Amino acid sequence: MSSRPPSSALAVLLMAAALAGAASAATLQCVQVAQLMAPCMPYLTGAPGMTPYGICCNSLGVLNQLAATRADRVAACSCVKAAAGGFPAVDFARAAGLPAACGLSISFTISPNIDCNQYVR
C-alpha cells in the first residue's frame, strides 16, 4: 500500500472547484491558489532529494492555465507571496525551482519578496 494520500479524487475536486470559480471571477481568488498549491507543500517542505509528485505538478499546471491574463497572474503571484510568508518551513530555493521541476514555465519566482506588479508579465 502506498503512503501517498488518495489524491486522484481530491485532484479532480480541486480542479473542478478552481475551474468553476475561475469562470465566474475576473481574477483568481487566493482560496483557489491555496487549494492548487496545497499538494506541493510536502515537496516544498520535504527532505532533500524529494521530487514533486503527480498531483502537485498537475495542480500547478491547472493554476498556470487559470492564470491566463496578466491580472490573473498578478493575483496568483500576490496570493502565493502572501501564503509563502506564513510558511517558515518552505524552502524557497525549492519553491523557485518548482515550475521547472514540473516542466512548466511561469512568469515569476515563488518568493515572499517578489514585487508581483513589477515582475509578472
Side-chain angles (χ1 to χ4, degrees):
M1 176 151 293
S2 174
S3 63
R4 288 167 59 184
S7 57
S8 298
L10 178 61
V12 171
L13 289 174
L14 287 175
M15 288 180 210
L19 291 172
S24 65
T27 60
L28 287 170
Q29 303 294 313
C30 285
V31 70
Q32 292 172 293
V33 175
Q35 288 172 333
L36 290 166
M37 290 295 296
C40 297
M41 291 307 291
Y43 169 73
L44 296 174
T45 60
M50 183 177 181
T51 58
Y53 56 97
I55 189 173
C56 169
C57 291
N58 290 342
S59 294
L60 194 61
V62 168
L63 178 58
N64 198 34
Q65 290 175 353
L66 291 176
T69 67
R70 183 180 187 282
D72 288 335
R73 289 186 295 276
V74 169
C77 174
S78 297
C79 293
V80 170
K81 178 181 176 179
F87 290 98
V90 168
D91 177 341
F92 288 105
R94 203 175 258 205
L98 178 60
C102 288
L104 299 169
S105 175
I106 62 172
S107 62
F108 62 92
T109 300
I110 299 171
S111 163
N113 301 320
I114 188 169
D115 178 348
C116 295
N117 290 311
Q118 182 177 356
Y119 292 105
V120 174
R121 299 179 244 123

